[in-house]
């Protein structure tokens, strides 16, 4: 058996982001590809500066595979997909199509959805970004209305990233997009996603108990 990769995440987060912290994408990719992995953590406290040697923006996740160190969830998932050999096609044309849709998920969809979500959380609203969001979500809805998966006839790393972007609760509840909703349900019903999601929630539940024990002590 291959040596496990190491996925770095935070030791604890508040309730709201649980199930969405992006180490989930790496856990999920490993589960899909049957790659062994272990979880390591950096402290939530002082998180913007306490691991700049591993991640120049003070974020998670990070990935270690032997002497290879990576950050940014998209890059990490691409590496895991190639390593596992089943989340990305072996032929160059198929591979570049998967990479194209990963970039689309991160650069054309998530770069709009996340600012909109943050503004919504803060009770701010800007018509410009809502209009931009509506346009982007309508565009991906049109794509998903015509296909089951983004590339070819099987689930790939592109679907992993795109579905993770689209499954955010506020985004799912915004507007009526039946093809996108069916896609998110189809992808998140996969056993690998369910396990990765449950494991992340369990990780932070244990962290709650540890923090409570320390505060009581």
């Amino acid at each position: 058996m291959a040596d496990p990769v190491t996925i770095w995440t935070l030791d604890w987060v508040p309730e709201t982001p649980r199930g969405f912290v992006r180490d989930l994408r790496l856990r999920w990719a490993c589960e899909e590809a049957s790659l062994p992995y272990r979880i390591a953590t950096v402290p939530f406290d002082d998180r913007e500066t306490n691991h700049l040697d591993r991640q120049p923006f003070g974020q998670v996740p990070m990935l270690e595979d032997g002497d290879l160190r990576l950050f940014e969830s998209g890059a990490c998932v691409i590496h895991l997909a190639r390593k596992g050999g089943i989340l990305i096609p072996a032929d160059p044309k198929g591979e570049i199509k998967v990479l194209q849709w990963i970039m689309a998920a991160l650069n054309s969809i998530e770069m709009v959805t996340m600012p909109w979500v943050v503004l919504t959380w803060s009770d701010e609203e800007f018509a410009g970004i809502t209009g931009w969001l509506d346009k982007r979500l309508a565009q991906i809805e049109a794509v998903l209305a015509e296909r089951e998966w983004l590339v070819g006839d099987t689930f790939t790393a592109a679907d992993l990233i795109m579905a993770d972007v689209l499954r955010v609760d506020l985004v799912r509840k915004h507007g009526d997009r039946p093809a996108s909703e069916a896609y998110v349900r189809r992808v998140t019903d996969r056993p690998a996603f369910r396990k990765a999601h449950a494991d992340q929630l369990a990780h932070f539940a244990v962290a709650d108990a540890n923090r409570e024990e320390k505060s009581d002590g």
Side-chain angles (χ1 to χ4, degrees):
M1 177 180 286
D3 291 336
V5 299
T6 300
I7 298 170
W8 286 83
T9 187
L10 295 166
D11 63 345
W12 178 87
V13 296
E15 190 71 30
T16 299
R18 296 183 187 189
F20 293 93
V21 182
R22 289 173 185 162
D23 67 277
L24 177 70
R25 296 173 179 177
L26 282 60
R27 294 172 183 258
W28 183 5
C30 287
E31 295 291 347
E32 292 281 358
S34 299
L35 293 172
Y37 64 97
R38 61 182 290 270
I39 300 298
T41 63
V42 293
F44 176 81
D45 298 326
D46 300 321
R47 61 195 175 280
E48 292 186 3
T49 58
N50 66 20
H51 60 285
L52 292 176
D53 58 328
R54 296 180 179 275
Q55 217 283 3
F57 307 107
Q59 299 173 321
V60 296
M62 296 91 72
L63 179 71
E64 290 182 8
D65 184 3
D67 61 358
L68 176 66
R69 287 187 175 187
L70 292 173
F71 62 91
E72 292 295 337
S73 63
C76 295
V77 167
I78 290 168
H79 173 70
L80 294 170
R82 287 173 169 163
K83 184 180 179 73
I86 66 169
L87 291 175
I88 197 164
D91 68 286
K93 288 184 178 179
E95 180 184 41
I96 199 62
K97 287 182 179 179
V98 168
L99 297 181
Q100 166 189 261
W101 279 108
I102 289 174
M103 299 308 159
L106 298 174
N107 295 330
S108 295
I109 306 297
E110 191 170 49
M111 72 170 292
V112 186
T113 60
M114 283 312 299
W116 179 82
V117 166
V118 171
L119 288 171
T120 302
W121 282 341
S122 60
D123 295 324
E124 298 283 350
E125 185 173 352
F126 294 90
I129 196 169
T130 300
W132 191 17
L133 174 80
D134 291 342
K135 179 180 179 180
R136 283 287 185 259
L137 293 180
Q139 289 166 330
I140 193 61
E141 171 72 9
V143 171
L144 295 174
E146 296 180 348
R147 63 184 79 175
E148 184 176 10
W149 307 111
L150 289 172
V151 180
D153 59 359
T154 189
F155 175 87
T156 69
D159 299 298
L160 187 156
I161 297 293
M162 183 66 79
D164 197 56
V165 171
L166 293 176
R167 73 182 180 90
V168 175
D169 293 343
L170 284 173
V171 175
R172 291 176 75 172
K173 293 174 182 176
H174 181 73
D176 182 26
R177 294 178 305 283
S180 299
E181 180 60 21
Y183 174 75
V184 170
R185 289 181 180 273
R186 182 164 62 249
V187 175
T188 57
D189 194 44
R190 296 177 67 84
F193 171 82
R194 294 201 304 268
K195 183 177 187 306
H197 187 265
D199 286 351
Q200 187 186 88
L201 294 181
H203 167 80
F204 292 127
V206 170
D208 279 338
N210 290 340
R211 287 171 75 94
E212 184 175 345
E213 183 178 336
K214 288 180 180 178
S215 65
D216 290 344

